[in-house]
């Protein structure tokens, strides 16, 4: 069986259907006693929960009246949060699919996130304001943080006191949530399309235009940056920080690069539209991609292996 990393066309993804419109965001839970899980947002107005290893469908969260732009799952994997074009963020019971609470705003919500201890949520979107809600007192007014001058595309916690955000105003910003103050700002030449707190616990990955940046998670100083040949929507760093994957708006491919040199190692073809989101699974064995074509694809990381649902392909020419 050939397992050369340069023959990425030999890798057959698991294709997860079910959505009917573009998939703008996917997110994994941490590893739990029951395994780990994958949640997806979709412009069809629904979010879906899947087994993180196999991609098997577990449930659909229905109740939004507009496109769902963002979906995240909490540390315990028992709650899901979604943000929508219907101006609401919703908390869901991940086990039953029932809606627990709705937070209403006055513009489209583009990003939602749980805090590290699952006690708060963060939202951001077209009104250019970050909001923090206390889940122990969900009816209380949120803490509002202003400073962005255009739509906030993505925002998340790095620790209990620090939030990072980026968007259409071409800036990456760092905030102290204890007083709502901005503590750092990094200007870019293009809008910030993606931010990830990498699984190695040391890096923040940022995409803007054709550039990908890797920042120190403590100081937010730029450690590495590379200019690539496509307009990037997303990037994700492997858990061992040896490779990173990218997806963009100018082709339909998922590319794998060496972290230290930016040498392209693999190019995965199969999506029928731009790739909007990418994330490595917490075990590092696979990574997933979400696309304009409405599908999620799970790809093997590293050499081709025959296991799980990939067993059925072990006799195909691709795996000879």
């Amino acid at each position: 069986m050939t397992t050369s990393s340069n023959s990425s066309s030999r890798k057959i993804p698991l294709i997860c259907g079910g959505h009917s419109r573009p998939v703008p965001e996917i997110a994994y839970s941490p590893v739990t006693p029951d395994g780990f899980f994958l949640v997806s947002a979709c412009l069809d107005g629904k979010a879906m929960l899947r087994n993180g290893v196999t991609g098997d469908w577990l449930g659909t969260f229905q109740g939004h009246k507009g496109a769902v732009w963002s979906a995240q799952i909490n540390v315990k994997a028992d709650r899901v949060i979604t943000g929508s074009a219907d101006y609401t963020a919703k908390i869901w019971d991940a086990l039953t699919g029932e809606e627990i609470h709705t937070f209403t705003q006055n513009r489209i919500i583009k990003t939602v996130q749980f805090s590290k201890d699952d006690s708060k949520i963060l939202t951001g979107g077209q009104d250019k304001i970050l909001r923090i809600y206390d889940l122990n007192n969900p009816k209380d007014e949120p803490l509002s943080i202003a400073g962005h001058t255009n739509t906030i595309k993505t925002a998340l916690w790095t620790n209990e006191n620090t939030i990072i955000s980026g968007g259409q105003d071409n800036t990456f910003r760092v905030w102290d949530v204890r007083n709502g103050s901005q503590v750092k700002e990094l200007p870019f030449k293009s809008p910030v399309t993606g931010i990830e707190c990498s699984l190695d616990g040391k890096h923040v990955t940022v995409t803007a235009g054709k550039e990908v940046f890797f920042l120190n998670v403590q100081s937010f100083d730029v450690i590495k940056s590379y200019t690539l040949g496509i307009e990037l929507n997303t990037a994700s760093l492997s858990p061992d920080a040896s490779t990173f994957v990218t997806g963009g708006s100018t082709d339909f491919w998922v590319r794998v690069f060496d972290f230290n040199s930016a040498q392209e190692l693999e190019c995965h073809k199969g999506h029928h539209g731009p790739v909007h989101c990418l994330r490595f699974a917490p075990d590092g064995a696979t990574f997933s991609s979400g696309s304009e074509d409405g599908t999620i694809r799970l790809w093997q990381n590293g050499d081709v292996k025959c296991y799980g649902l990939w067993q059925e392909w072990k006799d195909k020419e691709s795996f000879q």
Side-chain angles (χ1 to χ4, degrees):
M1 181 175 68
T2 301
T3 57
S4 169
S5 62
N6 292 322
S7 54
S8 59
S9 61
R10 295 177 179 273
K11 293 187 176 178
I12 301 176
L14 299 178
I15 303 174
C16 306
H19 285 306
S20 60
R21 294 197 62 200
V23 178
E25 186 170 79
I26 50 180
Y28 283 98
S29 76
V31 177
T32 75
D34 296 316
F36 59 89
F37 304 91
L38 177 67
V39 67
S40 57
C42 186
L43 302 192
D44 62 9
K46 302 171 186 177
M48 287 188 175
L49 184 68
R50 301 178 185 276
N51 181 296
V53 176
T54 65
D56 287 345
W57 175 84
L58 298 175
T60 301
F61 304 99
Q62 301 186 66
H64 281 293
K65 298 179 180 179
V68 176
W69 284 100
S70 182
Q72 295 285 329
I73 190 166
N74 68 351
V75 172
K76 295 179 181 178
D78 62 357
R79 296 288 185 270
V80 165
I81 182 174
T82 52
S84 172
D86 65 7
Y87 302 177
T88 68
K90 293 179 181 290
I91 303 290
W92 309 84
D93 187 312
L95 304 179
T96 66
E98 295 180 0
E99 181 181 321
I100 296 173
H101 193 81
T102 295
F103 302 92
T104 301
Q105 298 182 12
N106 57 8
R107 297 292 298 276
I108 292 173
I109 298 172
K110 286 295 190 77
T111 182
V112 292
Q113 185 72 235
F114 286 100
S115 62
K116 298 293 184 180
D117 63 0
D118 290 343
S119 68
K120 300 179 179 66
I121 62 165
L122 169 67
T123 70
Q126 282 191 342
D127 66 0
K128 302 171 282 190
I129 297 173
L130 295 166
R131 291 181 174 86
I132 299 172
Y133 295 88
D134 184 348
L135 293 182
N136 294 317
N137 301 284
K139 295 183 179 180
D140 288 356
E141 285 296 312
L143 169 65
S144 297
I145 301 175
H148 278 285
T149 59
N150 207 328
T151 298
I152 298 168
K153 173 68 167 58
T154 182
L156 49 89
W157 266 276
T158 61
N159 59 52
E160 63 181 6
N161 296 322
T162 307
I163 284 171
I164 54 178
S165 59
Q168 292 294 317
D169 58 4
N170 297 19
T171 59
F172 170 91
R173 301 173 190 265
V174 182
W175 310 90
D176 186 330
V177 301
R178 292 169 293 189
N179 53 27
S181 65
Q182 179 177 296
V183 296
K184 190 161 188 170
E185 176 182 333
L186 294 177
F188 295 116
K189 293 181 288 186
S190 303
V192 174
T193 53
I195 299 175
E196 175 197 62
C197 275
S198 304
L199 291 170
D200 68 348
K202 299 177 181 179
H203 298 89
V204 173
T205 305
V206 182
T207 52
K210 295 182 179 181
E211 296 178 289
V212 57
F213 300 85
F214 300 97
L215 315 181
N216 179 286
V217 76
Q218 300 295 330
S219 67
F220 303 103
D221 294 330
V222 177
I223 299 170
K224 293 180 182 292
S225 65
Y226 300 115
T227 300
L228 305 177
I230 59 171
E231 292 288 334
L232 298 172
N233 290 326
T234 182
S236 185
L237 183 64
S238 63
D240 64 0
S242 64
T243 60
F244 65 94
V245 292
T246 66
S249 58
T250 50
D251 65 25
F252 305 162
W253 303 341
V254 175
R255 301 173 188 270
V256 183
F257 296 90
D258 181 86
F259 175 65
N260 292 311
S261 67
Q263 176 187 356
E264 185 175 312
L265 304 176
E266 300 176 354
C267 180
H268 298 303
K269 302 177 182 180
H271 278 299
H272 301 289
V275 177
H276 294 306
C277 46
L278 283 165
R279 286 295 179 265
F280 272 94
D283 64 357
T286 60
F287 56 88
S288 59
S289 56
S291 169
E292 183 78 13
D293 65 14
T295 67
I296 299 164
R297 295 173 186 248
L298 274 61
W299 307 88
Q300 291 193 33
N301 180 31
D303 291 340
V304 174
K305 303 176 184 68
C306 290
Y307 68 94
L309 295 183
W310 276 279
Q311 288 282 1
E312 64 186 79
W313 295 322
K314 65 183 178 180
D315 295 324
K316 288 190 176 182
E317 182 182 354
S318 301
F319 285 77
Q320 301 303 311

